[in-house]
Amino acid sequence: MPRNRNELSDGYHKAFPTALRALMEQDRTTQQELALTLGKTRQSVSYYCDGSSSPDWETIAKIAEFFSVSADYLLGLSDDPAQRPAAVDDLGLSPKAVQHLKDIHELNERYPIDTRQPLLEYLLEDLRFHNLLAWCARYVTLMSITPDVSFSESAAYTACADTLKAHGFTISSSDDQAGALFSERIVNMLRTLLNERAEYERDQTIHQKDDH
């Protein structure tokens, strides 16, 4: 038996149709306008609005884009309609890396004595740490180079090496370059950053004791 026109469907007050009706009223969007955007019939949109049927995930994504809201808001999973890019999209990090950052944050929330998050913030805020990362990336590149033995043992290489040596220069292998980079720059910079952080925390502890 068909439902009376004035009778509400069982899903009328569910999160999605409620949010959809509110957005359409707020933006003064008609069912026909939304139907054209979605590539659906007006009757389909009508069913979405009164909760008689639910759209598939692709349609939900189109509705969210049309109204510039998040899908979570449409589905009742968030009270905030604003679209917020996930850290994976916003920062370009892998999901696993983002999860590890979240784990560090949650651990710091539960155990404030854990100092990994403050240390991470300190490093990321210091421009010298950016240089350190660049050097680390260069180190990995150098260490991943496979030497061309056929060239390094050739007469041309020997002649070039002898010429440079005569002028006070030497040809170093990628391994040698990586080793020098690690010991002369990476280690020293990391030691400097960590020592400065340790000195800062020591001063903070002294000030706290003086205040008491």
Side-chain angles (χ1 to χ4, degrees):
M1 180 177 177
R3 191 175 70 243
N4 186 290
R5 181 172 293 183
N6 295 324
E7 183 182 348
L8 299 180
S9 72
D10 293 338
Y12 186 84
H13 293 293
K14 288 185 177 180
F16 176 77
T18 299
L20 180 58
R21 291 193 304 271
L23 289 169
M24 292 180 66
E25 181 179 353
Q26 175 183 310
D27 288 7
R28 297 181 179 178
T29 301
T30 66
Q31 293 181 357
Q32 185 61 39
E33 289 171 342
L34 184 57
L36 289 173
T37 298
L38 301 177
K40 303 287 184 179
T41 64
R42 190 202 63 76
Q43 187 177 39
S44 294
V45 173
S46 175
Y47 287 156
Y48 298 157
C49 289
D50 70 10
S52 296
S53 67
S54 300
D56 56 32
W57 64 270
E58 291 181 334
T59 303
I60 292 175
K62 289 181 180 179
I63 294 173
E65 182 178 3
F66 179 81
F67 290 109
S68 298
V69 297
S70 68
D72 282 351
Y73 176 75
L74 282 174
L75 297 174
L77 300 176
S78 172
D79 293 330
D80 186 358
Q83 292 178 321
R84 302 187 187 283
V88 172
D89 301 321
D90 205 26
L91 302 179
L93 299 175
S94 69
K96 190 173 183 179
V98 171
Q99 184 58 53
H100 285 171
L101 291 175
K102 289 181 178 178
D103 291 342
I104 291 174
H105 174 67
E106 291 174 1
L107 188 63
N108 182 255
E109 289 287 306
R110 287 183 307 201
Y111 308 105
I113 194 172
D114 186 275
T115 59
R116 276 176 289 183
Q117 179 171 321
L119 176 59
L120 180 60
E121 292 174 353
Y122 160 74
L123 291 173
L124 292 175
E125 290 172 1
D126 197 308
L127 289 177
R128 291 172 298 175
F129 184 67
H130 295 199
N131 291 334
L132 179 64
L133 284 179
W135 294 338
C136 288
R138 177 60 179 164
Y139 173 83
V140 171
T141 299
L142 290 171
M143 289 298 293
S144 64
I145 294 175
T146 301
D148 185 354
V149 180
S150 61
F151 173 69
S152 61
E153 295 179 354
S154 65
Y157 179 90
T158 301
C160 181
D162 290 342
T163 300
L164 288 172
K165 187 176 181 179
H167 291 81
F169 300 98
T170 59
I171 298 178
S172 58
S173 66
S174 57
D175 285 352
D176 291 337
Q177 294 176 40
L181 179 63
F182 188 84
S183 60
E184 296 174 11
R185 292 192 176 184
I186 294 176
V187 171
N188 289 336
M189 178 58 74
L190 183 58
R191 182 184 293 113
T192 297
L193 289 168
L194 295 181
N195 283 344
E196 288 182 6
R197 180 62 182 182
E199 183 177 350
Y200 168 80
E201 293 187 359
R202 184 170 57 247
D203 291 342
Q204 290 295 105
T205 302
I206 293 174
H207 291 322
Q208 289 175 0
K209 289 181 179 180
D210 291 341
D211 291 339
H212 291 299

